[in-house]
Amino acid sequence: MEALGVERIEAVADRGYFKIEDIEACEAAGVTPYVPKPVRGPAVREGFFPKEAFRFDPAPATFTCPGGQTLRPCRRGRSRDNVKIDYSNRQACMACSLRSRCTKTYRHVSRLENEAVLDRMAARLAARPEVLDQRSTSVEHPFGTIKQWMHQGAFLMRRLECVRGEFSRTALVYNMRRAISLVDVPGLIAAAKG
Ligand code: SF4
Protein backbone atom coordinates (compact mmCIF):
# COMPACT_ATOMS: atom_id res chain seq x y z
CA MET A 1 0.00 0.00 0.00
CA GLU A 2 2.84 2.34 0.85
CA ALA A 3 4.70 1.51 -2.36
CA LEU A 4 1.60 2.05 -4.49
CA GLY A 5 0.46 5.12 -2.58
CA VAL A 6 -3.04 3.77 -2.01
CA GLU A 7 -5.21 3.37 1.07
CA ARG A 8 -6.89 0.13 0.04
CA ILE A 9 -5.46 -2.94 -1.62
CA GLU A 10 -6.58 -6.46 -2.48
CA ALA A 11 -4.60 -9.50 -1.37
CA VAL A 12 -5.03 -12.91 -2.98
CA ALA A 13 -3.41 -15.96 -1.41
CA ASP A 14 -3.65 -19.73 -1.62
CA ARG A 15 -5.40 -22.01 0.87
CA GLY A 16 -2.31 -22.30 3.05
CA TYR A 17 -2.94 -18.75 4.26
CA PHE A 18 -6.53 -19.35 5.37
CA LYS A 19 -6.47 -18.21 8.98
CA ILE A 20 -9.27 -16.16 10.48
CA GLU A 21 -6.98 -13.95 12.57
CA ASP A 22 -5.04 -12.92 9.46
CA ILE A 23 -8.20 -12.35 7.42
CA GLU A 24 -9.51 -10.09 10.19
CA ALA A 25 -6.19 -8.26 10.42
CA CYS A 26 -6.28 -7.64 6.66
CA GLU A 27 -9.75 -6.09 6.83
CA ALA A 28 -8.71 -3.91 9.75
CA ALA A 29 -5.66 -2.68 7.80
CA GLY A 30 -7.65 -1.77 4.66
CA VAL A 31 -6.61 -4.91 2.79
CA THR A 32 -9.40 -6.85 1.06
CA PRO A 33 -8.39 -10.51 1.28
CA TYR A 34 -9.27 -13.33 -1.13
CA VAL A 35 -8.20 -16.70 0.29
CA PRO A 36 -10.05 -19.92 -0.62
CA LYS A 37 -11.17 -22.09 2.24
CA PRO A 38 -9.45 -25.47 2.57
CA VAL A 39 -11.86 -28.38 2.44
CA ARG A 40 -10.85 -30.36 5.53
CA GLY A 41 -12.03 -31.56 8.92
CA PRO A 42 -13.29 -34.81 10.39
CA ALA A 43 -16.64 -34.71 8.55
CA VAL A 44 -14.91 -34.31 5.18
CA ARG A 45 -12.47 -37.13 6.02
CA GLU A 46 -15.39 -39.42 6.84
CA GLY A 47 -17.18 -38.49 3.61
CA PHE A 48 -20.04 -36.73 5.44
CA PHE A 49 -21.78 -33.51 4.37
CA PRO A 50 -19.25 -30.66 4.52
CA LYS A 51 -19.94 -27.62 6.65
CA GLU A 52 -20.79 -25.68 3.48
CA ALA A 53 -23.94 -27.84 3.17
CA PHE A 54 -25.22 -26.17 6.37
CA ARG A 55 -26.70 -22.68 6.05
CA PHE A 56 -26.08 -20.24 8.86
CA ASP A 57 -28.75 -17.75 9.85
CA PRO A 58 -27.30 -14.97 12.04
CA ALA A 59 -30.65 -14.10 13.59
CA PRO A 60 -31.39 -16.02 15.71
CA ALA A 61 -27.99 -17.78 15.25
CA THR A 62 -28.94 -21.21 13.96
CA PHE A 63 -27.83 -23.56 11.20
CA THR A 64 -30.20 -25.24 8.78
CA CYS A 65 -28.86 -28.68 7.89
CA PRO A 66 -29.19 -30.57 4.57
CA GLY A 67 -32.23 -32.34 6.06
CA GLY A 68 -33.94 -28.99 6.62
CA GLN A 69 -33.63 -29.21 10.42
CA THR A 70 -32.60 -26.37 12.71
CA LEU A 71 -29.35 -26.77 14.66
CA ARG A 72 -29.14 -24.58 17.76
CA PRO A 73 -26.19 -23.52 19.96
CA CYS A 74 -25.35 -26.30 22.39
CA ARG A 75 -21.80 -25.64 23.55
CA ARG A 76 -19.40 -22.76 23.87
CA GLY A 77 -15.63 -23.14 23.78
CA ARG A 78 -12.47 -21.66 22.30
CA SER A 79 -10.36 -22.17 19.23
CA ARG A 80 -7.04 -20.39 19.77
CA ASP A 81 -8.15 -16.87 20.79
CA ASN A 82 -11.57 -17.16 19.16
CA VAL A 83 -14.89 -18.06 20.74
CA LYS A 84 -16.26 -21.23 19.14
CA ILE A 85 -19.91 -22.23 19.35
CA ASP A 86 -21.18 -25.71 18.50
CA TYR A 87 -24.65 -26.20 17.04
CA SER A 88 -26.65 -29.42 17.03
CA ASN A 89 -30.12 -31.01 17.13
CA ARG A 90 -29.73 -34.46 18.57
CA GLN A 91 -33.39 -35.42 18.37
CA ALA A 92 -33.65 -34.50 14.70
CA CYS A 93 -30.51 -36.50 13.85
CA MET A 94 -31.79 -39.62 15.56
CA ALA A 95 -34.88 -39.61 13.33
CA CYS A 96 -33.14 -38.46 10.14
CA SER A 97 -33.07 -40.49 6.92
CA LEU A 98 -29.85 -38.70 5.86
CA ARG A 99 -27.94 -39.58 9.02
CA SER A 100 -25.59 -42.12 7.33
CA ARG A 101 -24.39 -39.29 5.05
CA CYS A 102 -23.99 -36.82 7.88
CA THR A 103 -22.73 -38.35 11.11
CA LYS A 104 -22.12 -41.53 13.07
CA THR A 105 -24.11 -40.32 16.05
CA TYR A 106 -25.51 -36.82 15.86
CA ARG A 107 -24.02 -33.89 14.04
CA HIS A 108 -22.27 -30.88 15.51
CA VAL A 109 -21.40 -27.89 13.37
CA SER A 110 -18.99 -25.31 14.80
CA ARG A 111 -18.83 -21.64 14.08
CA LEU A 112 -16.52 -18.98 15.45
CA GLU A 113 -18.13 -15.92 16.95
CA ASN A 114 -16.18 -13.72 14.51
CA GLU A 115 -16.76 -15.98 11.48
CA ALA A 116 -18.77 -13.34 9.59
CA VAL A 117 -15.41 -12.13 8.27
CA LEU A 118 -15.02 -15.48 6.47
CA ASP A 119 -18.58 -15.26 5.13
CA ARG A 120 -17.81 -11.87 3.62
CA MET A 121 -14.68 -13.27 1.99
CA ALA A 122 -16.57 -16.31 0.63
CA ALA A 123 -19.13 -13.95 -0.93
CA ARG A 124 -16.34 -11.91 -2.55
CA LEU A 125 -14.74 -15.06 -3.96
CA ALA A 126 -18.08 -16.32 -5.29
CA ALA A 127 -18.51 -12.99 -7.09
CA ARG A 128 -14.94 -12.97 -8.49
CA PRO A 129 -13.64 -16.57 -8.76
CA GLU A 130 -11.22 -15.53 -11.51
CA VAL A 131 -8.92 -13.76 -9.01
CA LEU A 132 -7.61 -17.17 -7.91
CA ASP A 133 -6.53 -18.07 -11.45
CA GLN A 134 -4.96 -14.65 -11.86
CA ARG A 135 -2.99 -15.24 -8.67
CA SER A 136 -1.70 -18.65 -9.70
CA THR A 137 -0.69 -17.58 -13.21
CA SER A 138 1.09 -14.44 -12.01
CA VAL A 139 2.57 -15.65 -8.71
CA GLU A 140 3.35 -19.33 -9.28
CA HIS A 141 5.31 -18.62 -12.45
CA PRO A 142 8.13 -16.76 -10.65
CA PHE A 143 8.20 -19.30 -7.81
CA GLY A 144 8.40 -22.24 -10.23
CA THR A 145 11.06 -20.57 -12.35
CA ILE A 146 13.18 -19.45 -9.41
CA LYS A 147 13.01 -22.78 -7.59
CA GLN A 148 13.19 -25.25 -10.48
CA TRP A 149 14.98 -23.52 -13.34
CA MET A 150 17.27 -21.27 -11.32
CA HIS A 151 17.81 -23.94 -8.65
CA GLN A 152 17.15 -21.48 -5.81
CA GLY A 153 15.47 -24.02 -3.56
CA ALA A 154 17.02 -22.79 -0.32
CA PHE A 155 18.95 -19.67 0.60
CA LEU A 156 22.72 -19.94 0.74
CA MET A 157 23.10 -16.92 3.03
CA ARG A 158 22.21 -16.51 6.70
CA ARG A 159 20.82 -13.49 8.56
CA LEU A 160 17.98 -11.37 7.23
CA GLU A 161 20.17 -8.69 5.68
CA CYS A 162 22.20 -11.23 3.71
CA VAL A 163 19.13 -13.21 2.65
CA ARG A 164 17.54 -9.96 1.43
CA GLY A 165 20.62 -9.31 -0.69
CA GLU A 166 20.61 -12.83 -2.06
CA PHE A 167 16.95 -12.71 -2.95
CA SER A 168 17.25 -9.25 -4.50
CA ARG A 169 19.81 -10.63 -6.92
CA THR A 170 17.63 -13.64 -7.65
CA ALA A 171 14.68 -11.34 -8.35
CA LEU A 172 16.79 -9.09 -10.56
CA VAL A 173 17.98 -12.04 -12.64
CA TYR A 174 14.47 -13.47 -12.84
CA ASN A 175 13.08 -10.12 -14.01
CA MET A 176 15.79 -9.74 -16.66
CA ARG A 177 15.26 -13.27 -17.98
CA ARG A 178 11.52 -12.76 -18.03
CA ALA A 179 11.83 -9.44 -19.85
CA ILE A 180 14.19 -11.00 -22.40
CA SER A 181 11.68 -13.81 -22.98
CA LEU A 182 8.89 -11.32 -23.53
CA VAL A 183 10.55 -8.49 -25.48
CA ASP A 184 14.01 -9.86 -26.35
CA VAL A 185 17.32 -8.10 -25.61
CA PRO A 186 16.81 -5.08 -27.94
CA GLY A 187 13.40 -4.49 -26.41
CA LEU A 188 14.82 -4.67 -22.89
CA ILE A 189 17.63 -2.23 -23.77
CA ALA A 190 15.16 0.14 -25.41
CA ALA A 191 12.87 0.01 -22.36
CA ALA A 192 15.81 0.63 -20.02
CA LYS A 193 16.86 3.66 -22.07
CA GLY A 194 13.30 4.97 -22.28
S1 SF4 B 1 -28.22 -36.13 10.55
FE1 SF4 B 1 -28.91 -34.36 11.70
S2 SF4 B 1 -27.72 -32.64 10.92
FE2 SF4 B 1 -27.52 -34.31 9.47
S3 SF4 B 1 -29.07 -33.93 7.92
FE3 SF4 B 1 -29.98 -35.28 9.45
S4 SF4 B 1 -30.96 -33.94 10.94
FE4 SF4 B 1 -29.61 -32.73 9.72
Side-chain angles (χ1 to χ4, degrees):
M1 290 160 75
E2 195 180 318
L4 295 172
V6 296
E7 292 189 355
R8 291 206 64 84
I9 201 168
E10 294 180 336
V12 189
D14 68 28
R15 294 176 199 283
Y17 293 89
F18 190 92
K19 188 176 176 193
I20 190 165
E21 292 88 343
D22 295 338
I23 309 296
E24 272 191 315
C26 279
E27 282 200 357
V31 177
T32 306
Y34 292 80
V35 188
K37 185 178 180 188
V39 182
R40 64 187 176 205
V44 172
R45 276 199 299 278
E46 298 278 355
F48 294 142
F49 292 127
K51 183 179 173 183
E52 288 66 36
F54 294 73
R55 185 172 43 80
F56 183 70
D57 184 353
T62 56
F63 274 98
T64 303
C65 74
Q69 300 293 329
T70 301
L71 277 53
R72 295 194 169 77
C74 62
R75 200 163 45 208
R76 204 177 166 87
R78 295 199 78 79
S79 171
R80 299 190 298 271
D81 287 337
N82 306 294
V83 174
K84 180 169 77 92
I85 299 165
D86 288 342
Y87 296 76
S88 68
N89 184 338
R90 184 176 186 150
Q91 280 181 334
C93 292
M94 293 305 160
C96 178
S97 61
L98 297 174
R99 189 151 69 106
S100 63
R101 297 171 58 193
C102 193
T103 178
K104 286 179 180 164
T105 52
Y106 66 100
R107 183 71 183 258
H108 285 97
V109 177
S110 301
R111 183 176 165 91
L112 301 176
E113 212 170 45
N114 49 343
E115 203 167 307
V117 70
L118 301 183
D119 296 342
R120 288 195 290 277
M121 187 166 69
R124 283 196 299 275
L125 274 168
R128 292 181 58 198
E130 71 281 1
V131 294
L132 300 180
D133 286 341
Q134 287 170 358
R135 186 208 70 82
S136 56
T137 53
S138 57
V139 173
E140 298 298 345
H141 185 281
F143 278 137
T145 305
I146 288 169
K147 282 185 170 175
Q148 302 300 322
W149 290 4
M150 295 166 66
H151 306 295
Q152 177 98 64
F155 289 110
L156 300 172
M157 307 299 287
R158 293 291 174 267
R159 299 205 310 274
L160 186 58
E161 189 183 347
C162 299
V163 169
R164 276 199 180 122
E166 183 182 345
F167 189 74
S168 293
R169 291 172 65 161
T170 300
L172 177 66
V173 172
Y174 170 85
N175 286 336
M176 289 180 72
R177 289 180 60 161
R178 185 80 178 129
I180 290 168
S181 303
L182 293 174
V183 298
D184 214 335
V185 174
L188 176 59
I189 292 171
K193 283 181 177 167

Short mmCIF file of all heavy atoms in Angstrom, two decimals, residues 69-71 89-97 99:
data_model
loop_
_atom_site.label_atom_id
_atom_site.label_comp_id
_atom_site.label_asym_id
_atom_site.label_seq_id
_atom_site.Cartn_x
_atom_site.Cartn_y
_atom_site.Cartn_z
N GLN A 69 -33.42 -29.36 8.97
CA GLN A 69 -33.63 -29.21 10.42
C GLN A 69 -32.83 -28.02 10.96
O GLN A 69 -31.82 -27.62 10.37
CB GLN A 69 -33.22 -30.48 11.15
CG GLN A 69 -33.99 -31.72 10.73
CD GLN A 69 -35.47 -31.64 11.10
OE1 GLN A 69 -35.84 -31.03 12.11
NE2 GLN A 69 -36.32 -32.26 10.29
N THR A 70 -33.28 -27.52 12.09
CA THR A 70 -32.60 -26.37 12.71
C THR A 70 -31.65 -26.85 13.79
O THR A 70 -32.05 -27.58 14.70
CB THR A 70 -33.65 -25.42 13.33
OG1 THR A 70 -34.53 -25.01 12.28
CG2 THR A 70 -32.98 -24.20 13.95
N LEU A 71 -30.37 -26.44 13.66
CA LEU A 71 -29.35 -26.77 14.66
C LEU A 71 -29.13 -25.53 15.52
O LEU A 71 -28.87 -24.44 15.00
CB LEU A 71 -28.04 -27.18 13.99
CG LEU A 71 -27.91 -28.63 13.50
CD1 LEU A 71 -29.06 -29.05 12.60
CD2 LEU A 71 -26.58 -28.83 12.79
N ASN A 89 -28.70 -30.68 16.88
CA ASN A 89 -30.12 -31.01 17.13
C ASN A 89 -30.19 -32.53 17.22
O ASN A 89 -30.46 -33.21 16.23
CB ASN A 89 -31.01 -30.47 16.00
CG ASN A 89 -32.48 -30.69 16.29
OD1 ASN A 89 -32.84 -31.57 17.07
ND2 ASN A 89 -33.33 -29.91 15.64
N ARG A 90 -29.87 -33.02 18.38
CA ARG A 90 -29.73 -34.46 18.57
C ARG A 90 -31.00 -35.22 18.20
O ARG A 90 -30.95 -36.24 17.50
CB ARG A 90 -29.37 -34.73 20.02
CG ARG A 90 -29.10 -36.17 20.31
CD ARG A 90 -28.66 -36.35 21.75
NE ARG A 90 -28.28 -37.71 22.00
CZ ARG A 90 -27.38 -38.09 22.86
NH1 ARG A 90 -26.75 -37.20 23.58
NH2 ARG A 90 -27.10 -39.36 23.05
N GLN A 91 -32.12 -34.73 18.64
CA GLN A 91 -33.39 -35.42 18.37
C GLN A 91 -33.65 -35.55 16.88
O GLN A 91 -34.05 -36.61 16.38
CB GLN A 91 -34.55 -34.66 19.02
CG GLN A 91 -34.68 -34.95 20.50
CD GLN A 91 -35.85 -34.21 21.12
OE1 GLN A 91 -36.26 -33.17 20.61
NE2 GLN A 91 -36.37 -34.74 22.21
N ALA A 92 -33.40 -34.46 16.15
CA ALA A 92 -33.65 -34.50 14.70
C ALA A 92 -32.73 -35.51 14.03
O ALA A 92 -33.15 -36.26 13.14
CB ALA A 92 -33.44 -33.11 14.11
N CYS A 93 -31.46 -35.56 14.46
CA CYS A 93 -30.51 -36.50 13.85
C CYS A 93 -30.95 -37.94 14.06
O CYS A 93 -30.81 -38.78 13.17
CB CYS A 93 -29.12 -36.29 14.43
SG CYS A 93 -28.36 -34.72 13.96
N MET A 94 -31.42 -38.24 15.25
CA MET A 94 -31.79 -39.62 15.56
C MET A 94 -32.92 -40.12 14.64
O MET A 94 -33.02 -41.31 14.36
CB MET A 94 -32.23 -39.74 17.03
CG MET A 94 -31.08 -39.51 18.00
SD MET A 94 -29.72 -40.63 17.64
CE MET A 94 -28.35 -39.84 18.41
N ALA A 95 -33.74 -39.20 14.16
CA ALA A 95 -34.88 -39.61 13.33
C ALA A 95 -34.64 -39.31 11.84
O ALA A 95 -35.56 -39.40 11.04
CB ALA A 95 -36.13 -38.86 13.81
N CYS A 96 -33.40 -38.99 11.49
CA CYS A 96 -33.14 -38.46 10.14
C CYS A 96 -32.79 -39.56 9.13
O CYS A 96 -31.93 -40.40 9.41
CB CYS A 96 -32.01 -37.45 10.22
SG CYS A 96 -31.57 -36.76 8.63
N SER A 97 -33.37 -39.49 7.97
CA SER A 97 -33.07 -40.49 6.92
C SER A 97 -31.72 -40.22 6.26
O SER A 97 -31.19 -41.08 5.55
CB SER A 97 -34.18 -40.46 5.87
OG SER A 97 -34.24 -39.18 5.27
N ARG A 99 -28.96 -39.51 7.96
CA ARG A 99 -27.94 -39.58 9.02
C ARG A 99 -26.66 -40.31 8.56
O ARG A 99 -25.56 -39.90 8.90
CB ARG A 99 -28.50 -40.25 10.27
CG ARG A 99 -27.56 -40.16 11.46
CD ARG A 99 -28.31 -40.15 12.76
NE ARG A 99 -28.93 -41.42 13.02
CZ ARG A 99 -28.52 -42.31 13.91
NH1 ARG A 99 -27.45 -42.04 14.64
NH2 ARG A 99 -29.15 -43.43 14.11
#
